[in-house]
Amino acid sequence: VHLRREIGPLPAVALIIGTVVGSGIFIAPKGVLVNSGSVGLSLLVWALCGVLSLFGALCYAELGTTFTKSGGHYTYLLETLGPLPAFLRLWVEFLFIRWPAVTSYVSLAFGRYVVEPFFAPCPAPAVLVKLMSVLGVTFVVAVNCWSVSLASRTQVALTFIKMFALVLIIIPGVIALAKGKTENFQGGFEMDLLTLDRLPLAFYNGLYAYGGWFYLNFVTEEVINPKRTIPVAVVCSMVTVTVFYVLVNVAYYTVMSPAELLGSEAVAVTFANRALQGLTSLVPLLVALSCLGALNGGFFVAPRMLFVGAREGHWPPIFSMIHIRRQTPLPAVLLLYPLVVLMLINGEIYQLINFASFARWFFIALATLGMLVHRHRFPLHPRPFKVPLAVALVFTVVCFFIVGLSLYSDPWNTGRSCALTLTGLPVYYATVYRPRLPRKWRRAFNSCSKRLQILLEVAQQEIQTF
């Protein structure tokens, strides 16, 4: 009973591209434009977000080849800065960062693109959008509970579909641009609407659209030849995604005015109505499948962080178990499902991004800072792939700068995010550092865990895979 190495180069690239290219490129352009204030500056933000994400992916490629455990952020914080920041990352991740806030964002986008074409030009009923979102999440959970190979093949297929969707948007935009339709780019760098307090929010929306470059690191123990596959996959994926994202935004601005883009709740649908008259009904379907691919990738990798955290003693042991026949981390996947559904029902789509971004980027900056600390403390430690020091420093400093500036830009959501992160401190000292739970509680918890283990047919991993 163990998680097997089944992810080769193509599934690795598909996993990164498939989780990066989700709802973000179809929704975030609105957030980037409204916070940057001009067409030219918004395109610059998209390009800079791509470069910054590539720098981060290179840093994580070094971490992933240095520490061969799965778990991503959690594992790297544990190995470089110690158990407390690692536990806080695990705690905050499954309270509101990826699960459920970011996943809710993607699933709401999936529901909107499925439902909205049937009600255009009227707004789609919010209840129906959320119902379709829940159905999408349910499908993805079922696939990831059933089989690792099925989830991997599904990811590859959905990735090819979503790249086709981007090409379908880019081609009409390039044709229109070649015909001289450039009026929306004239005066593109006007700074009248730009304010310093809103610029970090533009980067948050852009970086959200690139989010996912670190997900291959969550499944390092399941990657074939990770020391070579991880660096190659992250470079190929992020360069491809950056080029496609900039071209898609150029296509948007070629066909739509900034006012039309800001007034659209589903940018790709509005674009299709203007530029793809014969394929109007196809584009929303392709975007919905793109969102489904991002959901599938997220549910494929995120349970591995929970799995590793439980294996290290920072989470209940039941979550470090896998199904004895299907070889999937079934308890970890099932835990995430109700969390996502609850946030999906109660959350609001744009507030979720700002709310989750502070903690996400703070801990990513801590992970790369930990990488630099580890380099200094253990200079002779084997590092099969080593990122240039300047790249690591630039990425770390920019992340801390964006996080710090967000305290000024959006103090309410940032403050709530920081407060929820700190709620993990008493939990850590009460349950991990020096467990002080009453004996009756421990017995009841152990009894419940045994019953769940029997019900779910799960067991501890029998072979060390790192």
Side-chain angles (χ1 to χ4, degrees), residues 33 36-46 184-190 249 253 256-258:
L33 178 60
S36 62
S38 67
V39 170
L41 192 56
S42 70
L43 291 175
L44 183 60
V45 167
W46 279 105
N184 294 330
F185 297 97
Q186 295 174 4
F189 284 93
E190 294 178 355
N249 278 277
Y253 292 127
M256 303 162 59
S257 68

Side-chain angles (χ1 to χ4, degrees), residues 196 200 396-406:
L196 186 61
T396 305
V397 169
V398 170
C399 283
F400 276 121
F401 176 75
I402 292 175
V403 167
L405 205 55
S406 69

Side-chain angles (χ1 to χ4, degrees), residues 54-374:
L54 176 61
F55 283 5
L58 291 172
C59 292
Y60 268 58
E62 176 177 331
L63 287 166
T65 54
T66 303
F67 308 107
T68 56
K69 293 181 181 178
S70 295
H73 318 301
Y74 167 82
T75 296
Y76 307 145
L77 289 170
L78 180 67
E79 296 288 343
T80 60
L81 298 180
L84 178 57
F87 176 83
L88 290 178
R89 175 57 173 159
L90 194 67
W91 172 259
V92 79
E93 174 80 6
F94 295 99
L95 270 182
F96 60 90
I97 295 184
R98 176 71 201 182
W99 309 102
V102 175
T103 303
S104 302
Y105 181 99
V106 178
S107 55
L108 281 172
F110 167 77
R112 177 165 292 164
Y113 274 98
V114 169
V115 171
E116 192 154 305
F118 296 99
F119 292 88
C122 302
V127 174
L128 189 57
V129 170
K130 290 184 177 181
L131 176 61
M132 290 304 303
S133 302
V134 171
L135 290 176
V137 170
T138 304
F139 168 77
V140 166
V141 168
V143 169
N144 281 273
C145 287
W146 187 261
S147 166
V148 171
S149 59
L150 177 61
S152 179
R153 290 196 300 269
T154 301
Q155 188 67 19
V156 172
L158 291 173
T159 299
F160 277 107
I161 291 173
K162 65 179 63 184
M163 297 309 287
F164 172 71
L166 295 186
V167 170
L168 201 61
I169 291 173
I170 291 170
I171 290 176
V174 171
I175 292 173
L177 195 64
K179 291 180 177 179
K181 190 173 173 57
T182 59
E183 58 269 18
N184 294 330
F185 297 97
Q186 295 174 4
F189 284 93
E190 294 178 355
M191 299 296 181
D192 297 342
L193 299 177
L194 174 63
T195 56
L196 186 61
D197 62 324
R198 301 186 69 86
L199 192 57
L201 301 182
F203 275 93
Y204 271 168
N205 280 272
L207 289 171
Y208 167 75
Y210 284 98
W213 48 263
F214 41 75
Y215 282 137
L216 187 60
N217 298 71
F218 284 45
V219 293
T220 304
E221 294 172 34
E222 297 167 70
V223 175
I224 300 170
N225 190 13
K227 293 180 181 180
R228 181 181 182 276
T229 301
I230 291 177
V232 171
V234 297
V235 171
C236 293
S237 303
M238 294 316 301
V239 171
T240 301
V241 170
T242 302
V243 172
F244 270 72
Y245 272 14
V246 173
L247 290 176
V248 166
N249 278 277
V250 169
Y252 284 155
Y253 292 127
T254 303
V255 176
M256 303 162 59
S257 68
E260 288 173 329
L261 191 146
L262 291 175
S264 172
E265 288 296 324
V267 177
V269 174
T270 306
F271 178 89
N273 291 333
R274 295 286 302 274
L276 300 167
Q277 296 293 336
L279 300 173
T280 303
S281 59
L282 178 62
V283 170
L285 175 62
L286 293 175
V287 176
L289 291 174
S290 176
C291 296
L292 196 65
L295 280 175
N296 183 69
F299 269 98
F300 183 80
V301 299
R304 272 62 174 180
M305 183 191 288
L306 198 61
F307 172 85
V308 174
R311 191 173 66 187
E312 298 288 342
H314 287 177
W315 212 256
I318 185 69
F319 297 108
S320 65
M321 299 183 185
I322 61 178
H323 197 275
I324 58 175
R325 290 187 303 277
R326 305 201 177 280
Q327 312 293 331
T328 59
L330 191 67
V333 176
L334 290 179
L335 171 69
L336 307 181
Y337 181 63
L339 296 178
V340 172
V341 172
L342 284 174
M343 179 64 84
L344 190 61
I345 293 171
N346 298 316
E348 198 282 321
I349 197 163
Y350 282 104
Q351 289 181 354
L352 292 178
I353 289 186
N354 298 339
F355 184 62
S357 291
F358 166 78
R360 164 182 268 191
W361 287 100
F362 175 70
F363 281 106
I364 288 175
L366 275 186
T368 55
L369 177 63
M371 181 188 75
L372 296 172
V373 171
H374 191 269

